[in-house]
Amino acid sequence: MKTTMDPPITLGLPLDEPIPPDDCGVCQALAHQRAEATERGDLSRVSDCNVEIRNHHQPTRRMKGR
């Protein structure tokens, strides 16, 4: 039986907002959606847009066995 507490969780600093490339319409649209979400105070959508912008130009990973 455990009688001690777990150590505290350590969180890193939040990432800066990604800057979308000027030549990518998808990223520019996401940046526009992010700005609108910021105005509405919808921080969840802001975070979603940031993730999508960051990942948009990343190479896709292949699943093992495929």
Side-chain angles (χ1 to χ4, degrees):
M1 179 158 93
K2 184 176 179 179
T3 59
T4 59
M5 293 178 17
D6 289 334
I9 296 173
T10 303
L11 300 175
L13 294 173
L15 297 173
D16 291 333
E17 284 192 342
I19 299 171
D22 292 332
D23 62 344
C24 180
V26 172
C27 288
Q28 291 298 319
L30 287 166
H32 181 74
Q33 291 174 26
R34 177 179 65 190
E36 290 177 341
T38 300
E39 289 178 17
R40 290 192 311 271
D42 185 353
L43 300 181
S44 177
R45 181 66 186 141
V46 170
S47 178
D48 291 345
C49 289
N50 287 338
V51 169
E52 289 186 56
I53 292 169
R54 268 189 209 100
N55 292 336
H56 184 241
H57 294 280
Q58 298 295 321
T60 55
R61 295 184 186 185
R62 298 175 106 191
M63 293 176 55
K64 286 186 177 182
R66 289 191 173 193

